[in-house]
């Protein structure tokens, strides 16, 4: 048998907390692009699809499938890029209809940079930041591009921009700081 102790909170405090939780949930449901853009690395599928296919709804489907939305293609391209399948990521990301999507531009930049075209990667990151200047992932990747080119002064500017947005303890700040100290890209 469970017994619950009577709360000693101030009257109305519980309702205020519930209202705040409801507001947060409502905002997260009404702003699906935020949930998509801020998805973590661990949202990648555990199953790896063969070349030319991407993961959707529990199975591998052709990356050219009409069943894939731009969001599906962007997410799949990101997964491929983070899995080190850069050429495949580029092919999928370039199939997105909206070419002015900061998320897509970021992972196109990431894939090109990782394939050795650092200048193209940097230009794509800059385009992404024109659309979404608050994106710390893009800023971190841009900073790492500058580290690769030996332009630590420009990398430092991105580090300070990241600090303004998420402080010194967020993973993007720590990764760029580590890259700058080691002289090698972390991501």
């Amino acid at each position: 048998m469970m017994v619950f102790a009577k709360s000693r909170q101030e009257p109305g405090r519980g309702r205020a907390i519930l209202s705040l939780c409801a507001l947060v949930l409502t905002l997260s449901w009404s702003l699906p692009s935020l949930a998509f853009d801020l998805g973590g690395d661990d949202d990648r599928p555990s199953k790896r699809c063969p070349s030319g296919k991407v993961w959707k709804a529990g199975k591998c489907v052709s990356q050219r499938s009409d069943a894939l939305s731009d969001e599906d293609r962007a997410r799949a391209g990101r997964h491929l890029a983070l899995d080190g399948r850069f050429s495949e990521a580029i092919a999928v990301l370039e199939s997105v209809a909206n070419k002015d999507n900061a998320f897509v531009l970021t992972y196109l930049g990431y894939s090109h940079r990782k394939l050795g075209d650092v200048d193209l990667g940097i230009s794509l990151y800059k385009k992404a930041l024109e659309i979404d200047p608050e994106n710390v992932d893009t800023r971190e990747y841009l900073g790492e591009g500058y580290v690769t080119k030996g332009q630590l002064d420009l990398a430092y500017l991105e580090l300070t921009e990241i600090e303004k947005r998420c402080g010194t303890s967020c993973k993007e700040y720590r990764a760029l700081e580590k890259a700058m100290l080691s002289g090698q890209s972390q991501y």
Side-chain angles (χ1 to χ4, degrees), residues 119-135:
D119 291 329
L120 178 56
I122 287 173
S123 72
L124 290 165
Y125 296 143
K126 287 179 177 180
K127 282 183 184 177
L129 288 172
E130 287 174 11
I131 297 165
D132 181 10
E134 300 302 312
N135 191 318

Side-chain angles (χ1 to χ4, degrees), residues 19-36:
S19 295
L20 181 60
C21 289
L23 176 64
V24 168
L25 285 174
T26 301
L27 285 174
S28 67
W29 290 330
S30 65
L31 299 171
S33 63
L34 269 182
F36 176 64

Side-chain angles (χ1 to χ4, degrees), residues 110-122:
Y110 179 86
S111 298
H112 283 290
R113 176 174 63 90
K114 291 304 224 172
L115 286 173
D117 195 343
V118 179
D119 291 329
L120 178 56
I122 287 173

